[in-house]
Amino acid sequence: MRIGITGHSNLTPETVALVAEALRGLLVGVNQPVLGVTCLARGADQVFARVVLELGGEIEVVLPASDYRSRK
C-alpha cells in the first residue's frame, strides 16, 4: 500500500511524540507492506518516515526541486 503525507514542519518535541504515536496506531492496522511517500521535510514528514521504517515499510522520497535541500 502506498501512503503519502504532508504535515507541519515546526513541531514541538511533545507534538512529535503524539504524531508518531498516532501514525503508529494507524499504520499497525495495515495488513500489507507500506510504501511511504514523502519529501522528507522536517517535522511531520520525517516522523512519518521514521514510523514507516520502524514498522518494516519502505520510503519513496519525492524531491520537489533539484535544489530542494539548499533552499531555505
Side-chain angles (χ1 to χ4, degrees), residues 9-24:
S9 59
N10 295 321
L11 302 178
T12 65
E14 295 82 12
T15 304
V16 166
L18 291 171
V19 170
E21 182 180 331
L23 288 168
R24 205 172 286 111

Side-chain angles (χ1 to χ4, degrees), residues 2-6 35-39 48 58-62:
R2 181 175 283 178
I3 301 173
I5 190 170
T6 185
L35 175 63
V37 181
T38 176
C39 64
F48 170 73
E58 295 183 17
I59 298 297
E60 181 177 290
V61 178
V62 177

Side-chain angles (χ1 to χ4, degrees), residues 9-70:
S9 59
N10 295 321
L11 302 178
T12 65
E14 295 82 12
T15 304
V16 166
L18 291 171
V19 170
E21 182 180 331
L23 288 168
R24 205 172 286 111
L26 291 169
L27 296 175
V28 163
V30 177
N31 294 325
Q32 54 187 299
V34 172
L35 175 63
V37 181
T38 176
C39 64
L40 287 180
R42 72 177 185 200
D45 287 29
Q46 291 184 14
V47 174
F48 170 73
R50 279 190 222 108
V51 170
V52 168
L53 293 173
E54 170 190 307
L55 297 175
E58 295 183 17
I59 298 297
E60 181 177 290
V61 178
V62 177
L63 297 178
S66 60
D67 61 345
Y68 175 69
R69 290 189 68 124
S70 63

